[in-house]
Amino acid sequence: METGTFPTQGGRKPLGIIQAGLAKRKAAETRFKTYGIVAIAAGLVFLAILFISIVGNAYTAFQQTQVKLDLYLDPDVIDPEGTRDLDVLSGANYAAIVRSGLQDQFPDVESRRDRRALNALVGRGATYDLRATVMAVPDLVGETLTVWVPADDDVDMLLKGNIDREAAEEGRRLSDQQLAWIDQLESRGRLAKRFNADFFTKGDSREPESAGIRGAVVGSFYTMLVTLLLSFPLGVAAAVYLEEFAPQNRFTDIIEVNINNLAAVPSIVFGLLGLAVFINFFGLPRSVPLVGGLVLTLMTLPTIIIASRATLKAVPPSIREAALGVGASQLQTVVLHVLPLAMPGMLTGAIIGMARALGETAPLLMIGMVAFIVDIPQGILDPATALPVQIFLWADSPERAFVERTSAATLVLLFFLIVMNALAVVLRKRFERRW
Amino acid sequence: MYESEAKLAEPNATMRSGVGNVRATVPREHRQTVGNTRVDNPRIRCNKLNVYYGDTHAIHDINLDVGNNEILALIGPSGCGKTTFLRCMNRMNDTIPGCRVEGEIIVDKQNVNSPEVDVVPLRARMGMVFQKPNPFPKSIYENVAFGPRIHGLTANKAELDEVVETSLVKAGLWDEVKERLDQPGTGLSGGQQQRLCIARAIAVQPEVILMDEPCSALDPIATAVIENLMVELRQNFTICIVTHSMQQAARVSNRTAFFHLGDLIEVGETNELFIRPGHQLTEDYITGRFG
Ligand SMILES: Nc1ncnc2c1ncn2[C@@H]1O[C@H](COP(=O)(O)OP(=O)(O)OP(=O)(O)O)[C@@H](O)[C@H]1O
Ligand SMILES: [Mg+2]
């Protein structure tokens, strides 16, 4: 060994060996980088495809074809006695008023059959809107209102190019006569695609033109609220106890293993559990956000506990020693020093767990949150659906107009998920600590 | 050096389980401490103290007194158990999973190494400065104010301010940080952090201060400040200091204890021990022949 005290390959100088191997190392590094870039590019491509296909289907749902009608609020039809009693106003035949408003546009349509075909151009939602307007302001009775009412979904699909005018009349959802009326309305400026506010302000409906996601969004909101309020404190408390206070013994080992197992349990199993325990045993009502939240809490809890324990573990022991060393109690150490340092990580874990819960469908199906619910839930005990369940329901509906609404609802769900994940990133960045 | 060890070993010595290579090749039993381990009226008295980390027997059967108003220096090669011994005094070893402390530590006629003893007042009485600086990731002010605050020592903000200032002055840090008390303690240099930790420990006015190499990251001037602080504190308090600097031990301490591989080899008046070491290992160590 002439070069030094250590044996080297064939007694060569270490620097020579290093130089000789350098090219190989560089090549390996370049190869590895290429793999990484390819993987990321593939991921981005799939993401782009997903977004393009969803947005491509969804954007038309944010517009809805509407018909401009002059509706004479005939006192003889609505309130013949002139009492303005809300019961009378509520029971009145608003459908007749909408119909006559439409027939005013085509006075020469006489036969019953033709009138029915004409009436089919306007969606049924207009009737309910009109009732709500009159009930809110009874003095309107006797006046003439000019309003845009949603057109039937077939008309909407025609304007959006989803119905082929050239197809044979029998195979088409709109007759030649109806097409003619539509063209006339359009030329008079009484038929147009306008912003679909109903999509954001209404609950579910059998009629696509008046189906909205408000009910599902509010249902999801209440469900998430219950989930967050239960799973975050419980998860953090469990993690803090296990990590900071519990003695390390076989019992805590078993608990740890079981929590990890729970995190891997398919979500539908939690749905079955919720059905058996909360609904059948405790007798809580079906289809309500409270039960949905409880079930999703069960599902999210292990995730939050695991994430919280990981962040607690990441707090350097020297910080605990420093606090204990001046005589802080275990609780003071945890509350004053460990928790503040671990909180951003815990919040991130909670938000990611919540994002998962927000997109969860299967357990909610089990506890009946899949019912057809028109009313917007007012609290955690009102029947409700959730966004992903609404998507599932619409995807299952035959009408063409529900296809775009399915995509639009997916887009809304993705929007919320992206907001939540961005929030997690912001929290992490903002509260990042050095030590 | 092994000769002296071999001489002390019992003929029928059995190997301890879990010991490292060095000890495996030199089987030996507990070595008798040279010098007088006892003092009159001790502040702390350790009887037959043994510490195990899992299967590793880290310190063996140590008997040692720490007197009132004295500075006891703990010296010895790296890994000999100085930190472990120091951490027994305020029960910090409780926080290490798998660590077991056996034996008695008598403070005020009470064995503080029994599980019934509440560690909170014990640790308030025995302040500790750790080997690695560990300021809280909070402001400099909060770092020092933490102890007085959790124990409720001060009545109002003015008093707390005074405690913080006094502690920082004593630790020789005040002039450097008085303009930026609200900045994070973790933003200080290593030596400044160490002095911040000293300030944090003395802010609680402990009766005993356990210092684990408090000057390892300090320059000679800051070291002199800390040494002066120790001499000043000795008037009222008791100090245990771990140090790798023979000069420091000689300068500040009254008594010195020399540890080697978990045994207390020798203890005595500092002047005596450095001039006339009673054990071959001590002599080798203080003259720099190993360690
Ligand atoms: N947390 C621990 N777990 C297991 N073994 C430990 C632990 N801490 C210390 N030891 C072991 O106990 C023995 C004594 O360690 P200790 O830290 O007390 O040494 P020391 O004298 O302070 O050394 P240094 O001068 O390097 O700080 C060493 O052999 C060490 O490996
Ligand atoms: Mg040490």
Side-chain angles (χ1 to χ4, degrees), chain B residues 83 131 212-213:
Chain B
T83 299
Q131 188 163 354
D212 201 346
E213 298 182 35

Side-chain angles (χ1 to χ4, degrees), chain A residues 52-72:
Chain A
I52 289 169
S53 83
I54 290 177
V55 173
N57 275 322
Y59 80 98
T60 50
F62 298 119
Q63 289 203 317
Q64 163 70 35
T65 307
Q66 296 180 351
V67 189
K68 188 165 141 192
L69 294 179
D70 304 315
L71 301 178
Y72 173 52

Side-chain angles (χ1 to χ4, degrees), chain A residues 153 157 173 204-209 211 370-372 389-407:
Chain A
D153 57 312
M157 287 299 104
R173 290 186 60 92
D204 196 8
S205 168
R206 295 278 184 228
E207 311 296 330
E209 67 272 4
V370 70
F372 172 70
V389 181
Q390 188 69 75
I391 293 169
F392 168 80
L393 283 171
W394 284 348
D396 222 22
S397 302
E399 287 89 348
R400 181 65 182 76
F402 272 127
V403 173
E404 57 178 32
R405 281 175 170 72
T406 307
S407 293

